[in-house]
Structures are given as structure tokens and as C-alpha cells.
Amino acid sequence: MPRNAAPLLRSPVPRAADSDRRRTNASVILRSVLEHGPVARSTIARLTGLSPASVTDYCAHFAGLGLIQESAAPERSRGVGRPHVPVDLDDSQFVVGGVHVAVPYTTVALLDLRGRVLAERRIGHDTTDPSRVLARAADGLDALLADASGAVPLGVGVAAGGWVDRDSGTIVDHPLLGWREVPVREILGARTGLPVHVDGHARALVNGERLFGRARGSRSVLHLFVGNVVDAAFATNDEVHHGPRSQAGAIAHLPLRGGTEPCDCGRVGCLQVELSERTLCRKAREAGIVDGVNPTHVVAAAERGDPVAVRLLTQRARMTGRAAGLLLDILNPETVVVTELGVIHREDCLRALREEVGDARASAVVPTSFPDSVLAVAGGSVLLDVLFRDPLSVSSSVSPGRI
């Protein structure tokens, strides 16, 4: 892994209030460039309510770091004077690493500053030993960076299911992997030499949707992730709720009306055991549709017209809709984003999901904005959220001339 990376560092400042204000101003300006670019500095000032002089100063700083650049074509002003030269995000210089740890495999990826996946690799687990899994992830990132033609990595974002403590960078408990108190930030940081940030994948995807997806501009967003792990995340006023030691969103044992699957906790009908991809594949094997544990094979069977596969997927989508409806009742978000295999790939599953939610709220429920790269985006979004929330944390020693 290259050691000439652009570290995400925090510079000490004499007053916390000044630091918070500068961080907030920098964030809203860079977000404005992301959302509206190419955009004139005067327009950024109008959108953010900041003075033109402040916007100009921040933009000059970001340009010096290589985060933004002036657009080639100036905009004519409506009055007299020189044309406005708009600025836009510079996505040509920096990349972020993304790691998503799932039950059967780890996804490693490189993303640009717009959250677009540039390269991706899936690494199957030959063991669930965390040191081995994370070492192979680091090697996978190293290989992607070696092919990245001089791009500079800002850091690595790691997303996973289970209980993930963002502040300490630890996977506290992932029962399906058998991981407890795994210091992911420490292990991957030592292996890569890069800053590492860690979060739960549902929260990571809420951030991805806020920054780059359908939920951009929504005042409140709920994300429901349904894979082998089932969890949720909620953001309001551009802030994702984490709770004490980042335990928010743990819904695996929420009782699901109509559920029949026995859970290891001793109850019947818990959300995760009902909706898990393991359960889907087991039912498909019992029906003779597939002979393995890959849920995409169930989708492929449905695409070939297998009526049992279609039924299994639409039933699962309906149960997912039942869970989404319950969370809608509790949290009343403006937008609900669902990541679930059938809903991603099949209109009948999306329709079944929305029918279960009910006509009055069906339009608020949308599938993930990243159907072909959701796991890669989850990992990368952990780091990109840090960047856009606190862009001044990028070391001022990094400049385009070093790249």
C-alpha cells in the first residue's frame, strides 16, 4: 500500500467554537459543489448564506488541496463585469478505499469523490478469522491501488453488519462471523498505512444515499438493509443516529407479524431469521430450485420463469415491506431506501413491497440507488462521509503538485 497517501488529519485549533464553525462552513461549501457543480462561487454564497469572501477563501483552499477545480467554460454574468468561472469537484486525483465485510466474502473497491466505483474485487472467505480476513482485504486494496495509475488514496472506509462501534473503529459483535471486539481500524490501519474509518453498513448506505443517491435533499431517511444480516439506519437533518456505542439500528430480533422461522434467541419470527438470505436459500434448496447458498441463483431461477422462485422472492419482499411499514410507523421518515435482492432486480418484488407498506406511503419507499455496487459503495461511503462532513481534515500538506 502506498505510504504517500493523503491522511485525514485534524489540526489543533485554539477555540472549539471557531473550529466547529469552520468545519460546518467548509462542509456546506464542498457539499454545494458536489450537488450543484459546475457552480459559480456567487451561487454557492447564495445557496449557503455565507459571504462571497468566505466562499472564495474556502474554494481557494479546496483547489489547493486538489478537491475542486475551475470549470473550463466560464458563465456569462447577467450584468457588467467579468464572466463567472464556475468550480466543480475534482474527481481525477484522489480515491478512497472501500471495504465491506459480508458473511461469505469481503468486497474491496476504489471510489472517486463522487461515490462512483472505479474498481472492485470480491474476496471469498476461506476462514472467518478476523486477522486473516482483514489482511486479505488490505492485500486486495493494495492490488487495486497498484493498478490505479497514480491516484492518491485519502483513506479506507469499512462497513459491516452486526454491532459496529464507529468511534472506536471496532466490530463489537457479528454473530454470523463469530467476531467479537475486533479492532478493525487498528488492524487495517497497520496493514495499509492509511486512515481507516469503520461503521455499520446500513448507516454507511444512508450516508451514500444522502451524498450521491435518491435521498439527496430528504430531511429524514430510513435505510433498511436485508441480506444475511438485517439492520436499519435513520438520518434526520443530515445527521445519522448512532446511539450509545453505535448500537442504533439493531433490529435483527424485532418480531415480524406472520413470521414462522425459529430463531437462535428462542423466539419465532424474528426479523433477521425470517428475511435472511440464508433462509431464502434454504427454502430454495428444499424446493429443488438451487443446490447452493448463493441468493442470486434464486433470482436467476425467477428470471427463467420458475414460479416457486418467483413466489419465494415476492413473499420475502412482502415481509420486507411489513418490516418497512413497522419502521415507518415508528420513525415517519420522508424517504425509505430498501436494499434487498428481489426489490433491486425485480419490479414484481418492488410492487409487493409497496403494496405491503400501503398506498398512502408507497411512493416514499425506493430501492437502493446503487443496485450494481451496493457493498462497494457502503464501504467507500464511510470515508466519503468523513470527507464531506469535515473537508478541512484533509492535510494542507497535500497539493496537486505531490500527486
Side-chain angles (χ1 to χ4, degrees):
M1 186 73 71
R3 294 299 185 266
N4 62 339
L8 292 177
L9 300 176
R10 297 188 181 277
S11 301
V13 292
R15 294 176 55 190
D18 290 344
S19 176
D20 289 345
R21 182 173 62 253
R22 282 175 52 79
R23 184 181 302 117
T24 299
N25 291 349
S27 177
V28 297
I29 289 171
L30 193 60
R31 284 280 298 273
S32 294
V33 176
L34 170 68
E35 295 175 15
H36 302 285
V39 59
R41 295 170 182 83
S42 58
T43 303
I44 297 173
R46 177 173 54 80
L47 290 169
T48 63
L50 297 173
S51 71
S54 291
V55 171
T56 297
D57 287 346
Y58 280 107
C59 285
H61 182 67
F62 294 151
L65 291 175
L67 296 176
I68 69 173
Q69 60 186 344
E70 290 188 341
S71 182
E75 294 180 352
R76 299 299 306 180
S77 61
R78 294 183 179 178
V80 295
R82 293 179 299 176
H84 296 298
V85 180
V87 294
D88 203 358
L89 206 65
D90 186 348
D91 54 26
S92 65
Q93 305 191 53
F94 296 117
V95 296
V96 302
V99 176
H100 181 277
V101 183
V103 175
Y105 54 82
T106 294
T107 301
V108 296
L110 298 181
L111 290 79
D112 68 12
L113 299 191
R114 298 183 190 275
R116 296 177 299 202
V117 177
L118 306 175
E120 180 177 354
R121 179 176 297 181
R122 185 172 289 182
I123 304 169
H125 293 164
D126 55 6
T127 174
T128 58
D129 176 74
S131 297
R132 173 63 176 163
V133 169
L134 295 174
R136 295 186 70 197
D139 292 343
L141 283 174
D142 206 8
L144 293 181
L145 281 166
D147 295 332
S149 184
V152 174
L154 290 175
V156 180
V158 183
W163 176 5
V164 181
D165 181 7
R166 177 189 62 167
D167 293 335
S168 66
T170 302
I171 294 182
V172 181
D173 188 23
H174 196 310
L176 295 182
L177 285 173
W179 290 14
R180 287 192 60 82
E181 300 291 349
V182 177
V184 175
R185 177 190 296 163
E186 178 183 325
I187 294 172
L188 267 183
R191 294 280 308 196
T192 64
L194 294 169
V196 176
H197 294 264
V198 188
D199 209 344
H201 57 199
R203 291 191 293 265
L205 286 167
V206 161
N207 287 324
E209 293 286 348
R210 287 190 310 104
L211 290 169
F212 315 112
R214 292 189 178 99
R216 180 185 284 180
S218 291
R219 289 167 294 181
S220 55
V221 185
L222 169 70
H223 186 276
L224 177 59
F225 185 96
V226 180
N228 280 308
V229 172
V230 178
D231 54 12
F234 181 62
T236 182
N237 294 325
D238 217 29
E239 288 286 341
V240 177
H241 179 62
H242 283 77
R245 211 184 176 195
S246 301
Q247 280 191 275
I251 60 171
H253 296 286
L254 198 69
L256 190 59
R257 176 173 54 87
T260 59
E261 293 288 328
C263 183
D264 290 342
C265 73
R267 293 181 295 183
V268 173
C270 291
L271 198 59
Q272 183 162 289
V273 72
E274 287 292 335
L275 299 180
S276 169
E277 288 175 352
R278 289 184 167 188
T279 301
L280 173 67
C281 288
R282 192 206 74 224
K283 291 179 177 179
R285 288 195 304 273
E286 291 171 351
I289 299 169
V290 300
D291 56 6
V293 294
N294 190 334
T296 63
H297 294 171
V298 185
V299 176
E303 289 298 314
R304 293 192 299 268
D306 187 300
V308 178
V310 172
R311 176 176 56 80
L312 288 175
L313 289 170
T314 54
Q315 284 179 344
R316 185 176 189 241
R318 286 192 180 280
M319 294 294 270
T320 300
R322 195 166 295 176
L326 178 61
L327 295 171
L328 267 164
D329 288 340
I330 297 169
L331 298 171
N332 192 31
E334 184 175 316
T335 304
V336 179
V337 181
V338 176
T339 298
E340 190 273 337
L341 191 65
V343 172
I344 290 173
H345 293 289
R346 295 185 60 86
E347 282 295 324
D348 55 353
C349 289
L350 178 59
R351 187 165 54 250
L353 170 78
R354 286 174 167 164
E355 286 173 357
E356 194 66 33
V357 167
D359 291 343
R361 300 181 297 184
S363 62
V365 183
V366 297
T368 176
S369 302
F370 319 107
D372 300 320
S373 55
V374 65
L375 302 184
V377 170
S381 291
V382 176
L383 197 286
L384 288 166
D385 173 63
V386 174
L387 171 65
F388 284 100
R389 193 173 296 280
D390 188 8
L392 295 180
S393 61
V394 178
S395 171
S396 59
S397 64
V398 177
S399 65
R402 291 185 56 198
I403 298 171

